[in-house]
Structures are given as C-alpha cells and as structure tokens.
Amino acid sequence: MKPISRRTATAFFATAPLALATPAHAATHTVTIRRNKFKPAKITIKPGDTVTWKNEDGLEHTATARDKSWSTKSLSGGASGSIRFAEKGTFKYFCKWHPGMKGTVSVT
C-alpha cells in the first residue's frame, strides 16, 4: 500500500465535511396530474429531492404552495414542472386554476 502525501490528506479532510453534508443521490419523484387530481396526492421525499409534476390532462394546471412560496409555471397538457425541496417540512399545495385540487409534499 502506497502512503498518501500530506497535501492529499489535507485536501481530503478539507472537503470531507462538504461530502457528508450533501445528499449522495438526490432523487426525482413524479406526481401525475390526471382528471383534475394529483396522483399521488401525498408524497414523502428526502431533503434535496425534486418533485416533477407531469400534466396528462387536457386542461392547464399548476402546483402552487398554499403559502405561495413556490409554484410551477402553468402546465399545459403534456408539460411538466419541477421543484427541488431542500428543507424538511410539510408543504401543502393546490392548482391555482382549480383550487379544489390539493396535494402535500412531506420532506423527512
């Protein structure tokens, strides 16, 4: 086994906290919009993950946070929009065109 240099060891230990603080593999989760419903309506993800809403309806829809802190653009049929969730929490959302359409993203 070959010894490592002081320079290599210093570089490794200097970046190790960053590697530990960053999720190794952030995931993307899909919520389908069909028949004026979010499917699934409730989704649980990890910090750093992304949710993509895919509109398979003939009407325009959005996924808009109840507190209006985030929103996809208006999604026409076949379009999709994504939001990355960095913080833990429960995020309720709705469609701004159809307020009866509701969903929840839980980040744990």
Side-chain angles (χ1 to χ4, degrees), residues 6 15 24 77:
R6 175 178 274 171
T15 60

Side-chain angles (χ1 to χ4, degrees), residues 5-28:
S5 70
R6 175 178 274 171
R7 182 183 213 178
T8 302
T10 302
F12 171 79
F13 288 111
T15 60
L18 294 175
L20 296 174
T22 306
H25 300 286
T28 299

